[in-house]
Amino acid sequence: QVQLQESGPGLVKPSQTLSLTCTVSGASVKCNYCHWSWIRQPPGKGLEWMAAIGYSGSTYYNPSLESRTSISMDTSKDQVTLQLNSVTPEDTAVYYCARKLGSANPYEYWGQGTQVTVSS
């Protein structure tokens, strides 16, 4: 059974860099046609797709966040990592990682999410 577990700092100060890790079990991050995404939901708002990385290492970014975002994978640990630079209180959200097979398909697996609050 594929499971995704997000981990992060919980609280980050404005202007700092947020680093989040998605640890995958039950599958390899390099599984064929797998696409791994980070998606967030600010309080009272809808889901916002942030970035994705494909099984071949190709990366994709939300244009509105691209200048501050970096996604990568560690195949030795089966982890997908997101970095978000220069955070502001508007980056407060629950952050999820999710997986789908093929970029055109719906997400089939989601993590439970991790709350990140940006505050001084």
Side-chain angles (χ1 to χ4, degrees):
Q1 182 179 358
V2 179
Q3 293 185 321
L4 286 65
Q5 179 67 57
E6 304 92 343
S7 58
L11 178 65
V12 185
K13 295 184 184 299
S15 80
Q16 290 187 338
T17 295
L18 169 64
S19 292
L20 297 170
T21 299
C22 176
T23 301
V24 179
S25 59
S28 167
V29 293
K30 292 198 70 176
C31 56
N32 286 340
Y33 308 111
C34 284
H35 284 251
W36 307 90
S37 290
W38 282 97
I39 299 161
R40 69 181 181 180
Q41 186 168 29
K45 298 184 179 180
L47 295 172
E48 179 183 33
W49 175 80
M50 300 180 67
I53 186 165
Y55 64 103
S56 63
S58 299
T59 56
Y60 312 86
Y61 294 97
N62 184 326
S64 68
L65 298 169
E66 185 169 9
S67 64
R68 300 194 291 132
T69 307
S70 177
I71 189 170
S72 61
M73 66 166 62
D74 184 334
T75 57
S76 68
K77 298 180 181 179
D78 283 323
Q79 292 178 334
V80 179
T81 300
L82 180 80
Q83 287 197 328
L84 181 65
N85 301 323
S86 304
V87 298
T88 73
E90 286 67 41
D91 294 310
T92 294
V94 177
Y95 287 75
Y96 299 93
C97 63
R99 189 196 94 167
K100 57 182 172 179
L101 288 177
S103 59
N105 292 325
Y107 293 103
E108 51 177 341
Y109 295 106
W110 291 75
Q112 64 183 18
T114 186
Q115 172 70 48
V116 175
T117 301
V118 180
S119 174
S120 56

